[in-house]
Amino acid sequence: MNYNLIEELIESIHKEPYYLNFQQAYITLMNNQDVKSLMQTYERLNQELAWRERYGSYIDNNQLKNDILEIRKQLMHIPEFQDYQEKLSLLNRELDILSEIIFHNISEELAIGRMGKVYARHCRKV
């Protein structure tokens, strides 16, 4: 396999406006300490919810879910967060298009199936 081509593709993506705009939106978002704190709390509560849900339905998670929803609502009213979400959505659409092109004719499951979507979602931490 020619890993140099993959590196060239990555470098090319890093120069694309959709990627640069996403990076700038992320930096702007993380410079806002209130938003950063809310996002950290949101992530921590989501991790706690996932941990609790492993133990089945005998644990009441309603309050935790309400707390998560309330933080999400607060975040959605912050212009920097809205901008970040828009840029993230565009980045993901572009990466999905690239994934479909790359995996076309290799494996239908990877290109359009559930495993391909799950794999793509987990590998896109920027």
Side-chain angles (χ1 to χ4, degrees):
M1 176 172 287
N2 189 341
Y3 291 102
N4 291 332
L5 287 175
I6 295 170
E7 287 297 322
E8 288 177 29
L9 176 60
I10 292 169
E11 287 176 24
S12 176
I13 291 169
H14 286 169
K15 295 175 185 173
E16 289 292 324
Y18 60 83
Y19 181 81
L20 295 172
N21 291 337
F22 166 77
Q23 286 289 78
Q24 186 57 49
Y26 179 77
I27 290 167
T28 301
L29 189 65
M30 290 298 108
N31 285 333
N32 183 328
Q33 291 303 316
D34 293 334
V35 173
K36 189 174 181 178
S37 176
L38 278 173
M39 288 180 67
Q40 288 171 342
T41 302
Y42 181 81
E43 183 63 31
R44 181 182 53 77
L45 292 176
N46 271 319
Q47 289 174 356
E48 182 178 339
L49 180 62
W51 181 83
R52 283 182 171 195
E53 287 180 341
R54 283 190 257 162
Y55 295 99
S57 60
Y58 63 89
I59 298 176
D60 182 14
N61 292 322
N62 287 331
Q63 183 59 48
L64 186 57
K65 288 178 181 179
N66 287 337
D67 292 346
I68 291 169
L69 181 61
E70 184 59 37
I71 292 173
R72 180 79 178 163
K73 286 178 184 178
Q74 290 176 31
L75 286 169
M76 291 307 294
H77 291 295
I78 300 170
E80 292 92 348
F81 186 78
Q82 293 171 1
D83 185 54
Y84 167 77
Q85 289 290 7
E86 289 173 18
K87 302 296 191 310
L88 176 62
S89 179
L90 178 59
L91 174 65
N92 281 326
R93 276 196 306 271
E94 294 296 328
L95 292 176
D96 281 341
I97 291 168
L98 282 174
S99 293
E100 287 179 26
I101 292 169
I102 292 168
F103 291 111
H104 184 73
N105 293 330
I106 293 177
S107 168
E108 189 165 318
E109 183 178 322
L110 284 175
I112 59 175
R114 180 176 177 166
M115 288 303 295
K117 295 292 183 187
V118 170
Y119 174 78
R121 213 176 291 126
H122 290 298
C123 291
R124 283 204 199 117
K125 300 212 176 197
V126 179

